[in-house]
Amino acid sequence: GAVVSQHPSRVICKSGTSVKIECRSLDFQATTMFWYRQFPKQSLMLMATSNEGSKATYEQGVEKDKFLINHASLTLSTLTVTSAHPEDSSFYICSARSASGPTDTQYFGPGTRLTVL
Amino acid sequence: DQQVKQNSPSLSVQEGRISILNCDYTNSMFDYFLWYKKYPAEGPTFLISISSIKDKNEDGRFTVFLNKSAKHLSLHIVPSQPGDSAVYFCAASVSGTASKLTFGTGTRLQVTL
């Protein structure tokens, strides 16, 4: 149980284009989903918290107009990197908190490697 | 300001022996702690957690110890297996804050034959 998927697993795009990453909870309903990014050899940095049906809460320093988050259902959240630039290249990971499980345990997706040329 | 610290970036342990991974935190509001295991280019996998009302939680080969007065927790893996080789992250949260996790910088564990 508690499986989270991400799509795509890897994406390469040109500078200036937008990229959408999907995060799905496959076998549970997620009231809250989280988006992280990880730079090489560094820790996971929380970007934003997404609650189903409401606006995402962004961490300090994260541009909400650049990283658009939509949590349309209890099993799907999307992150859109708009007008991507090479400095946005990173490993993006989502996680989901089950509506019925341990409230403070997050289950992570496999991540998406974004490379902006 | 790194609120959760893993001061050992790497650790090498022989197969069959005990692996001890350490984690320190500075925020006294943290009351829930988790350990995650991560392979390269994959998302973290939840291993074990502990609430601040306990000082020990055990699950199979994995045991987490919490010392609140020292703001320190540790993960013990015994016996260590080659498949345990990965990066281990500790994370902490404050109840009632929508489960926002603060991660440490990770410790790379290498279990040798």
Side-chain angles (χ1 to χ4, degrees):
Chain A
V3 178
V4 177
S5 71
Q6 267 183 256
H7 178 79
S9 58
R10 188 180 292 265
V11 57
I12 300 172
C13 68
K14 292 182 180 179
S15 185
T17 60
S18 295
V19 174
K20 180 186 282 188
I21 303 170
E22 290 187 352
C23 177
R24 293 181 186 272
S25 56
L26 298 184
D27 51 0
F28 66 99
Q29 292 186 326
T31 52
T32 305
M33 288 185 169
F34 304 84
W35 287 95
Y36 296 81
R37 67 187 294 182
Q38 183 186 27
F39 292 104
K41 298 184 180 179
Q42 292 190 25
S43 186
L44 284 77
M45 301 300 297
L46 179 65
M47 298 174 65
T49 302
S50 167
N51 290 299
E52 186 265 336
S54 63
K55 289 185 178 180
T57 303
Y58 290 82
E59 294 300 298
Q60 192 173 13
V62 178
E63 298 176 60
K64 61 180 181 181
D65 295 329
K66 180 168 187 61
F67 298 100
L68 301 178
I69 291 172
N70 183 275
H71 193 160
S73 75
L74 285 172
T75 59
L76 173 64
S77 176
T78 60
L79 168 68
T80 301
V81 183
T82 63
S83 187
H85 291 284
E87 57 266 29
D88 298 324
S89 299
S90 189
F91 192 57
Y92 292 87
I93 309 174
C94 73
S95 72
R97 187 182 72 183
S98 171
S100 58
T103 56
D104 289 313
T105 300
Q106 294 178 26
Y107 299 95
F108 286 80
T112 297
R113 169 74 59 193
L114 171 63
T115 303
V116 185
L117 303 176
Chain B
D1 175 32
Q2 190 70 33
Q3 296 186 60
V4 179
K5 300 178 185 178
Q6 293 174 256
N7 292 318
S8 298
S10 64
L11 174 68
S12 183
V13 171
Q14 208 168 18
E15 181 181 13
R17 305 256 180 170
I18 184 171
S19 296
I20 300 176
L21 298 101
N22 294 303
C23 179
D24 298 291
Y25 61 96
T26 57
N27 187 345
S28 57
M29 297 295 290
F30 288 144
D31 57 3
Y32 194 75
F33 305 89
L34 308 90
W35 283 94
Y36 285 87
K37 173 181 177 180
K38 186 181 182 300
Y39 294 112
E42 292 185 13
T45 302
F46 170 72
L47 277 177
I48 192 168
S49 63
I50 188 167
S51 163
S52 61
I53 61 173
K54 293 184 175 182
D55 54 19
K56 176 183 175 181
N57 189 27
E58 194 172 350
D59 184 2
R61 296 186 298 116
F62 303 93
T63 303
V64 55
F65 295 92
L66 175 62
N67 182 334
K68 289 187 292 294
S69 61
K71 295 191 179 67
H72 176 85
L73 64 153
S74 61
L75 174 68
H76 292 211
I77 307 173
V78 57
S80 300
Q81 300 173 354
D84 296 329
S85 298
V87 177
Y88 289 78
F89 289 95
C90 68
S93 71
V94 178
S95 297
T97 61
S99 306
K100 284 171 55 173
L101 293 179
T102 301
F103 280 85
T105 49
T107 296
R108 180 176 301 278
L109 173 65
Q110 180 74 38
V111 179
T112 59
L113 297 173

